[in-house]
Every structure is written in structure tokens, then in C-alpha cells.
């Protein structure tokens, strides 16, 4: 087999192994190991390549941001800040039609700005907002759809772990990636909120099982200004420490992660919601998240090296260029692949696999790599909401554990939000300045 044939077979084999249920890093590492062995005919070469990939990938001090931001997000979740955010948002939007849905979107957006994790948002608001919306008569499909759709904001609104990883892989500034994610994140949040308001006004049966707007308003708890301030202050403090420190140049991304983790610990202790058992749970889960991400990075690094040895990126780039495709056509192909891969892979895997294939094609076109990162993250996030293996939908369904709500209900409810994300993605592709205006 030629190098290109090995590379093409490896892509298909990885997808098959993942569909059969093999752990993604294992699939990537196994196929990479066998591929290099076939290409070089010496088993010592893939062994050396594996050790090299492990050393080069996680030896970078920059990767310390992964456990630090994961720790900060988990501490905030344990402290119950997600519920506080939801209560404040619920109070502010209580008089609007579909107010609880809009409150969920806003709370998710704010929560994303201090955790950077879509999975954390999905798990927290599944337990916080879905029971409340069901209690007020909201359609179950709508409730799970709102949580699924708005949970993906965690990967776009800074400090997003995905933006950090993309910045490291493409050697871009983490601060620039964070700044570039602000306007698209706000646009997406506003689009979700407007869509909910429109559905609640013109298609009320999609939102509510019955007309309960007045009942909903009467049941809303009243909050004083002091209570609102107490709930919001920890959020403002952490946002100021993390994002303010990065944007002003006081902190590097790693230092901001450390400062944010310390701040989150102080908030959790101050709120008296962090027990010794809870702290141990946070620390062990941080270790699990970090280990899984770094293992995936090692496997993906080895896979990209195998593809380089096979010559597939160069061949793919030359083939695309020989077709004389325009920029719009190439981006269309790229977005379609992002969405398709997003149905079976997590965002980290997609970034590590597909970005190295398209960068050699798009770099001669003078694209801005920061803009390309925003496009990549949004495109991959759409796949998280689509079947057969939309990760966010699976997290919500498993966290909910409600026999009355099936997995298909979650996918159907999330579908309108996936369409909205696609519209915003097209808007950002057509108008790159939306993500680059402050960079």
C-alpha cells in the first residue's frame, strides 16, 4: 500500500472503530501505531513515535491551563453558582413569554464565561432548569432542547477550553482567541433568546403544554436588590479575575486559570457549599478530565504525525488545489465535514484531526487563523446537537434520567437551535470581522 492509501484507510478505520464503541484515544493511537508500522516496516519506529508524541505534546507548560480551568469550573458547579445564575436570570426575564427558556440561555452564557465547558453547563442546567420549566407547564421537548442548545455556548464564550487547545495547536494567542469568541458568543445567545421569544409568541404549543404565562409570573419568587447583588458578585469577581487579567495583560492564560481556580475555591468556601467529600470529588474529576484530554492529545498528535509520514495532508491539499475550487466551496466542504464529524466525535478530536488537513489549503488564501478557529468550534458544536451521537444530547439524556423524555425528544428539541447555530456560522464566514473586530 502507498502512503496515501494507508492514510485514507486509517481515516475510515478510525470511524469504524469509534462507531463500534472503542474509546477514541485508543482508536487513534492503535490505528496510528499500525499505520506507521506498515509505512516504515519496523515496529521500533511507531514505538519511538509514540514516546515522542507523548513527550512533545504534554511537556508544554501551556497545557497546565487544562486542569486549572477544569478545576475552576468544577468548583463553581459544586458551589451552586449555576443555580444562583439561573435564579437571577429567571427573575430578570420573568415577564417575557418563554421567560424561563430565555433565562436558561442567559444563565448558560454567563456560566460559560466562568467554566468554559459545554458538558458542565449541560449537566448543571439539566438538573436546575429542566425541572423548573416542566413545573411551569413547558413542553418537555422544548425544555431539553433549550438546555442542549444553550449548553454549547460553553465552548465558544471565553474562557473556552476548546479555544485554548486550538490556540496551542495552531500557535495562536490564547487572549486573541478569547477576544474573538466574545461577539459570536453574544450573537448566538441573542439569537437563541429571540428564537425562544418568537416561538413562545407565534408557536406557543411548541413551548408550552398549555397557556400558563400568568401562573408562571405569579409563581416566580421575588428577589431584593441585595439578594441579586449577593448572587451576581461571585460571577463578576471571577469574570474580572480571569478575563480581565488576560485582556489587560496582567496574566497569561495559565496564570489566569490558576487565579480563577483560587477565586472559585474562595467563593465555594465562602458560600459554605463545599464539603470535604465535595472537594475530593472535584479534585478526582479534574484529574479524570485532564487525563482524558491529554491522552486524546497524545493519540491525536501521533495520528497527525502518521498522516504526515503517509503524505496525506500534502496530497489532499494538492488535490483540492488542482480542482481549482473557490474559497466558498472549500469552506462549504469544511463545514459539512465539521458537522458530520461532530455527530460521532467530540470537539477536541475534531480540531486535532481535521484542522491539520485544511490548514495547508487555506493558509495560502491569507485567512486569519483566529477567525478559522471560531468557525471550527461553532461548526463542531453543531454536530454535538445532531444524531446519531450528539455528545451534549447524550449528556443531557443521561443526566436527566426521566423515562418520559427519550433521546429522540432531546434531539428533536435541540434541532431548531442547531439550525440557528448554522445561520450564525454562515454569518461569521461571510463577515469575518464579527470575530476579528477586537483582535
Amino acid at each position: 500500500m502507498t502512503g496515501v492509501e494507508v492514510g485514507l484507510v486509517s481515516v475510515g478505520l478510525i470511524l469504524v472503530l469509534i462507531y463500534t464503541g472503542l474509546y477514541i484515544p485508543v482508536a487513534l493511537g492503535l490505528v496510528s501505531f499500525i499505520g506507521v508500522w506498515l509505512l516504515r516496516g519496523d515496529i521500533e519506529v511507531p514505538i519511538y513515535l509514540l514516546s515522542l508524541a507523548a513527550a512533545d505534546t504534554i511537556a508544554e507548560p501551556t497545557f497546565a491551563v487544562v486542569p486549572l480551568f477544569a478545576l475552576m469550573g468544577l468548583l463553581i458547579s459544586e458551589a451552586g453558582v449555576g443555580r444562583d445564575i439561573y435564579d437571577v436570570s429567571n427573575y430578570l426575564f420573568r415577564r417575557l413569554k418563554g421567560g424561563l427558556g430565555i433565562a436558561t440561555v442567559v444563565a448558560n452564557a454567563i456560566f460559560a464565561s466562568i467554566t468554559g465547558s459545554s458538558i458542565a453547563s449541560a449537566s448543571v442546567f439539566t438538573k436546575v432548569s429542566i425541572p423548573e420549566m416542566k413545573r411551569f407547564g413547558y413542553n418537555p421537548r422544548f425544555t431539553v432542547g433549550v438546555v442542549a442548545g444553550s449548553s454549547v455556548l460553553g465552548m465558544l464564550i471565553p474562557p473556552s477550553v476548546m479555544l485554548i487547545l486550538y490556540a496551542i495547536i495552531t500557535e495562536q494567542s490564547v487572549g486573541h482567541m478569547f477576544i474573538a469568541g466574545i461577539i459570536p458568543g453574544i450573537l448566538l445567545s441573542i439569537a437563541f433568546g429571540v428564537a425562544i421569544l418568537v416561538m413562545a409568541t407565534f408557536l406557543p404549543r411548541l413551548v408550552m403544554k398549555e397557556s400558563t404565562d400568568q401562573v408562571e409570573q405569579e409563581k416566580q419568587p421575588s428577589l431584593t436588590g441585595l439578594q441579586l447583588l449577593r448572587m451576581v458578585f461571585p460571577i463578576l469577581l471571577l469574570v474580572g479575575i480571569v478575563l480581565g487579567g488576560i485582556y489587560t495583560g496582567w496574566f497569561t492564560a495559565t496564570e489566569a486559570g490558576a487565579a480563577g481556580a483560587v477565586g472559585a475555591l474562595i467563593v465555594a468556601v465562602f458560600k459554605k457549599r463545599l464539603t470535604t467529600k465535595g472537594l475530593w470529588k472535584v479534585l478526582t474529576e479534574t484529574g479524570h478530565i485532564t487525563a482524558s484530554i491529554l491522552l486524546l492529545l497524545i493519540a491525536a498528535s501521533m495520528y497527525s504525525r502518521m498522516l504526515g509520514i503517509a503524505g496525506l495532508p500534502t496530497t489532499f491539499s494538492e488535490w483540492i488545489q488542482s480542482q481549482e475550487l473557490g474559497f466558498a466551496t472549500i469552506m462549504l466542504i469544511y463545514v459539512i465535514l465539521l458537522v458530520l464529524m461532530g455527530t460521532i466525535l467530540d470537539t477536541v478530536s475534531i480540531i486535532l484531526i481535521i484542522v491539520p488537513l485544511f490548514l495547508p489549503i487555506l493558509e495560502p488564501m491569507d485567512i486569519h487563523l483566529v477567525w478559522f478557529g471560531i468557525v471550527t468550534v461553532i461548526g463542531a458544536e453543531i454536530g454535538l446537537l445532531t444524531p446519531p451521537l450528539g455528545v451534549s444530547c447524550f449528556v443531557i439524556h443521561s443526566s436527566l434520567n426521566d423515562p418520559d423524555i427519550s433521546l429522540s425528544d432531546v434531539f428533536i428539541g435541540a434541532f431548531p437551535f442547531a439550525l440557528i447555530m448554522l445561520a450564525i456560522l454562515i454569518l461569521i464566514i461571510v463577515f469575518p470581522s464579527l470575530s476579528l473586530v477586537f483582535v
Side-chain angles (χ1 to χ4, degrees), residues 5 58 192 200 204 222 245 253 308 312 334 353 355 413 416 435:
E5 289 173 341
I58 61 175
F192 284 166
S222 59
L312 186 60
Y334 184 67
I353 293 172
V355 169
S435 59

Side-chain angles (χ1 to χ4, degrees), residues 24-72:
I24 293 174
V26 175
L28 283 171
L30 180 62
V31 172
S32 302
F33 190 93
I34 296 173
V36 174
W37 189 2
L38 290 174
L39 289 169
R40 289 292 181 260
D42 185 352
I43 195 172
E44 291 186 4
V45 177
I47 293 174
Y48 172 74
L49 189 65
L50 177 60
S51 63
L52 192 65
D56 289 350
T57 301
I58 61 175
E60 290 290 331
T62 316
F63 281 107
V65 298
V66 175
L68 290 172
F69 277 109
L71 177 61
M72 182 180 71

Side-chain angles (χ1 to χ4, degrees), residues 195-378:
I196 292 170
L197 185 60
V198 170
M199 284 191 287
T201 303
F202 299 103
L203 300 168
R205 289 187 177 276
L206 292 179
V207 177
M208 309 290 294
K209 289 190 292 188
E210 53 184 289
S211 180
T212 56
D213 287 352
Q214 184 63 38
V215 176
E216 180 180 336
Q217 289 183 24
E218 291 174 357
K219 288 184 180 179
Q220 299 299 332
S222 59
L223 296 173
T224 65
L226 183 59
Q227 287 175 318
L228 289 173
L229 182 61
R230 285 177 177 173
M231 290 178 171
V232 171
F233 180 74
I235 304 161
L236 297 178
L237 175 66
L238 289 173
V239 171
I241 290 174
V242 177
L243 300 186
I246 292 175
Y247 298 156
T248 57
W250 294 347
F251 298 145
T252 63
T254 306
E255 291 167 346
V262 172
L265 179 61
I266 293 172
V267 168
V269 171
F270 182 76
K271 283 181 167 291
K272 299 179 181 179
R273 294 174 178 172
L274 184 65
T275 63
T276 304
K277 183 179 179 180
L279 179 59
W280 178 250
K281 175 186 172 185
V282 165
L283 293 175
T284 53
E285 195 168 344
T286 299
H288 291 156
I289 292 173
T290 303
S292 63
I293 290 177
L294 293 183
L295 179 59
L296 184 56
L297 286 169
I298 292 170
S301 174
M302 186 174 179
Y303 182 63
S304 64
R305 290 166 191 255
M306 187 274 288
L307 290 180
I309 293 173
L312 186 60
T314 303
T315 303
F316 181 67
S317 175
E318 291 173 351
W319 179 79
I320 290 288
Q321 290 171 359
S322 69
Q323 301 302 307
E324 297 182 354
L325 301 177
F327 174 75
T329 305
I330 293 174
M331 289 305 300
L332 177 62
I333 295 172
Y334 184 67
V335 170
I336 291 173
L337 286 175
L338 282 175
V339 174
L340 291 177
M341 293 182 73
T343 64
I344 59 172
L345 297 174
D346 62 276
T347 311
V348 178
S349 304
I350 296 169
I351 291 173
L352 294 172
I353 293 172
I354 197 171
V355 169
L357 286 176
F358 275 83
L359 274 185
I361 302 168
L362 293 169
E363 278 184 320
M365 298 181 179
D366 294 327
I367 67 159
H368 202 299
L369 290 182
V370 171
W371 164 83
F372 186 62
I374 300 300
V375 170
T376 300
V377 171
I378 297 177

Side-chain angles (χ1 to χ4, degrees), residues 9-27:
V9 170
S10 72
V11 174
L13 184 58
I14 284 173
L15 295 179
V16 170
L17 291 175
I18 292 171
Y19 265 119
T20 57
L22 191 63
Y23 189 42
I24 293 174
V26 175

